[in-house]
């Protein structure tokens, strides 16, 4: 009965699951790096079942440790490690590219196959540039921005 | 009426109608886009003059309509990765920034419960069309607080029909007071530095009073910060009207 009002952003819904912590949270950090909390956007069971800890990034497969749209990261979800693809972040990018209000991520296998079957949230068109790597992810996406 | 002579009365021509030609009055074009006004500084005005010439060239080829912060716009851009090579985005303009050719505006919309903002460059050749769907000014110049407001205030239908504007003179001001999500917000909008009038603050009285601690009432009297743009604006307006009529 602690959280009667809708918490700000979907990241805070993870705090509502834990009955222990009732304190302040650092604001979501901008581009994605180690220990950022992300939001899984597809309809896979692993991404959508509630857990008392939010999915966090533990490694970014990049020369710099900062992940932008189209980078692969390692996520820790429900006590397991899973790879994921970044489809949108809060950090403003180049002009004409969309900036999302949450850090969005799609769960992926090692060979690049997505685990879910549908992505409702909008995906930036810039991912189409790497059609070869992400063809299966783009195939299950519904909206583009 | 019977005249004194008994002949038919002399033909009196009807009074001439007075024609108020509104078209000549409209051509004054009182709106000047904010990116034409040069920022205050010590750079050579020649640089701004050359930039303005380029901006006028672009405006002759492509029509950039008059719009303010708070209008709902639909922008079609060229994109090699989109189907049909072009993509359309509808959103409310929350901010207009930049001067000269780098002028930008940010459009915000909430699609499928996900807030999306795109920053467009006004003079980019990639933009194919800008349509104004809904004309209304808001109480503030900067609507960045919509990020912390309830998502219903930023949702706009993608297939919205353009609202027709009857009067060419006034743009209606929407005095909407937006309700916010619970704190914490991305910025402390209740502080007087942001001077926001468009939020319905439901904070307790003591918090509103505590926010006034950060007010700087001397700023409006600071003479070094004064920048009177009326004469510059007149010059630029004349220049624009001459060039665009050619």
């Amino acid at each position: 009965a602690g959280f009667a009002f809708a918490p700000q952003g979907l990241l805070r819904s993870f705090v509502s699951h834990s009955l222990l912590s009732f304190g302040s949270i650092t604001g979501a950090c901008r581009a994605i790096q180690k220990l950022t909390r992300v939001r899984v956007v597809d309809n896979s069971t692993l991404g959508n079942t509630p857990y008392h800890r939010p999915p966090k990034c533990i490694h970014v497969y990049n020369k710099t440790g900062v992940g932008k749209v189209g980078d692969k990261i390692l996520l820790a979800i429900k006590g397991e490690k899973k790879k994921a693809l970044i489809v949108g972040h809060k950090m403003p990018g180049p002009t004409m590219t969309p900036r999302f209000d949450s850090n969005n991520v799609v769960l992926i296998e090692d060979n690049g196959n997505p685990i879910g079957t549908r992505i409702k949230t909008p995906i930036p068109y810039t991912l189409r540039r790497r059609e070869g790597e992400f063809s299966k992810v783009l195939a299950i996406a519904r909206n583009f921005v | 009426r019977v005249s004194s002579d008994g002949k038919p009365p002399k033909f009196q021509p009807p009074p001439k109608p007075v024609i108020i030609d509104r078209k000549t009055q409209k051509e004054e074009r009182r709106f000047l886009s904010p990116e034409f006004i040069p920022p205050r500084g010590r750079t050579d005005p020649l640089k701004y003059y050359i930039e303005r010439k380029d901006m006028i060239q672009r405006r002759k080829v492509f029509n950039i309509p008059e719009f303010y912060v708070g209008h709902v716009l639909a922008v079609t851009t060229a994109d090699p990765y989109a189907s049909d090579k072009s993509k359309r985005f509808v959103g409310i303009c929350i901010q207009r920034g930049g001067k000269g050719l780098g002028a930008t505006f940010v459009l915000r919309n909430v699609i499928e419960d996900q807030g999306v903002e795109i920053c467009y460059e006004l003079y980019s050749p990639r933009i194919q069309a800008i349509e104004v769907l809904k004309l209304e000014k808001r109480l503030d110049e900067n609507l960045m607080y919509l990020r912390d407001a309830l998502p219903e205030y930023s949702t706009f239908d993608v297939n919205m029909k353009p609202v027709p504007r009857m009067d060419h003179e006034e743009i209606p001001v929407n005095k909407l007071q937006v309700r916010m999500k619970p704190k914490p917000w991305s910025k402390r909008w209740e502080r007087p530095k942001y001077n926001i009038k468009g939020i319905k603050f439901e904070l307790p009285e003591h918090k509103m009073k505590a926010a006034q601690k950060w007010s700087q009432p001397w700023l409006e009297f600071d003479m070094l910060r004064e920048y009177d743009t009326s004469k510059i604006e007149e010059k630029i307006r004349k220049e624009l009207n001459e060039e665009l009529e050619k």
Side-chain angles (χ1 to χ4, degrees):
Chain A
F3 297 81
F5 44 78
Q8 184 207 15
L10 288 140
L11 296 180
R12 295 183 186 271
S13 57
F14 299 116
V15 179
S16 65
H17 289 292
S18 86
L19 304 161
L20 303 169
S21 64
F22 181 77
S24 59
I25 314 169
T26 46
C29 85
R30 308 199 112 193
I32 301 183
Q33 59 190 31
K34 288 194 185 184
L35 294 188
T36 35
R37 285 157 297 195
V38 291
R39 177 189 163 205
V40 174
V41 156
D42 56 9
N43 64 344
S44 54
T45 35
L46 193 58
N48 290 40
T49 38
Y51 193 62
H52 58 263
R53 303 188 70 184
K56 275 194 193 167
C57 168
I58 48 181
H59 189 260
V60 181
Y61 293 104
N62 210 345
K63 285 280 166 72
T64 67
V66 178
K68 307 274 173 164
V69 174
D71 287 334
K72 295 211 179 115
I73 58 173
L74 229 205
L75 276 187
I77 303 185
K78 292 186 80 177
E80 333 172 341
K81 293 184 279 192
K82 211 72 194 182
K83 276 204 182 173
L85 174 73
I86 304 176
V87 290
H89 49 68
K90 259 190 155 190
M91 175 149 171
T95 47
M96 307 287 205
T97 50
R99 186 205 83 103
F100 296 89
D101 275 0
S102 60
N103 299 318
N104 298 338
V105 122
V106 170
L107 292 179
I108 227 175
E109 295 280 351
D110 281 338
N111 50 11
N113 296 352
I115 297 176
T117 50
R118 221 182 336 161
I119 305 176
K120 260 174 77 178
T121 41
I123 307 270
Y125 275 109
T126 40
L127 275 184
R128 276 241 162 93
R129 188 178 305 146
R130 290 148 75 173
E131 187 94 48
E133 293 173 59
F134 308 137
S135 54
K136 292 174 196 168
V137 176
L138 295 166
I140 59 174
R142 288 298 166 91
N143 300 330
F144 281 92
V145 166
Chain B
R1 290 174 196 168
V2 181
S3 67
S4 48
D5 293 354
K7 293 180 198 164
K10 198 172 171 193
F11 171 67
Q12 297 275 338
K16 269 193 176 169
V18 181
I19 304 167
I20 308 165
D21 196 2
R22 301 225 170 166
K23 281 186 188 170
T24 45
Q25 285 176 11
K26 255 192 245 169
E27 263 170 45
E28 283 171 13
R29 254 182 278 212
R30 272 158 302 130
F31 171 70
L32 183 68
S33 224
E35 71 265 5
F36 280 104
I37 303 165
R40 188 172 72 140
R42 285 176 55 192
T43 33
D44 201 338
L46 179 68
K47 177 213 174 198
Y48 299 119
Y49 176 69
I50 299 173
E51 249 189 330
R52 256 178 279 141
K53 271 174 72 174
D54 284 334
M55 282 149 78
I56 291 166
Q57 269 296 86
R58 173 69 182 160
R59 278 190 184 235
K60 281 188 189 166
V61 175
F62 170 72
N63 171 41
I64 297 175
E66 165 189 348
F67 70 97
Y68 299 86
V69 168
H71 283 211
V72 179
L73 305 175
V75 178
T76 13
T77 39
D79 197 330
Y81 305 110
S83 57
D84 297 331
K85 306 289 180 208
S86 70
K87 57 176 185 178
R88 184 184 143 106
F89 184 73
V90 175
I92 183 171
C93 175
I94 51 176
Q95 185 192 309
R96 280 187 82 160
K99 300 279 179 199
L101 283 168
T104 55
F105 62 101
V106 183
L107 289 186
R108 178 183 166 83
N109 199 349
V110 172
I111 308 173
E112 298 273 355
D113 299 326
Q114 170 73 66
V116 185
E117 291 175 11
I118 309 190
C119 176
Y120 289 104
E121 281 168 345
L122 267 180
Y123 295 98
S124 165
R126 272 173 68 183
I127 296 187
Q128 288 164 345
I130 304 180
E131 303 146 32
V132 179
L133 295 179
K134 197 168 178 198
L135 279 139
E136 58 170 26
K137 276 203 213 184
R138 292 284 188 103
L139 291 166
D140 309 301
E141 294 271 306
N142 208 315
L143 296 179
M144 283 293 179
Y145 56 80
L146 285 180
R147 289 177 190 169
D148 298 315
L150 297 173
E152 62 196 33
Y153 294 103
S154 314
T155 30
F156 293 94
D157 186 19
V158 184
N159 304 321
M160 205 161 101
K161 297 276 169 66
V163 169
R165 184 158 84 133
M166 299 308 300
D167 214 11
H168 282 266
E169 309 301 338
E170 304 145 15
I171 299 180
V173 179
N174 189 2
K175 303 204 175 164
L176 179 66
Q177 297 258 298
V178 153
R179 291 187 59 211
M180 306 290 276
K181 292 189 207 166
K183 268 203 155 197
W185 300 327
S186 58
K187 304 259 174 199
R188 294 173 214 250
W189 304 112
E190 73 277 8
R191 292 215 177 156
K193 157 176 159 192
Y194 298 107
N195 193 21
I196 292 182
K197 294 158 200 151
I199 301 184
K200 189 173 184 186
F201 290 109
E202 279 151 9
L203 298 171
E205 273 292 325
H206 66 269
K207 292 223 165 152
M208 297 299 291
K209 273 196 187 164
Q212 292 301 317
K213 255 200 299 187
W214 280 270
S215 71
Q216 297 170 308
W218 57 87
L219 268 188
E220 61 171 313
F221 302 109
D222 194 345
M223 291 177 78
L224 285 180
R225 280 172 208 258
E226 278 173 8
Y227 185 37
D228 188 19
T229 50
S230 44
K231 289 182 192 159
I232 305 173
E233 270 182 40
E234 281 305 315
K235 263 195 240 170
I236 297 177
R237 219 173 262 148
K238 260 193 224 168
E239 210 186 294
L240 260 187
N241 286 339
E242 280 166 17
E243 291 286 326
L244 284 170
E245 268 155 43
K246 279 185 193 167

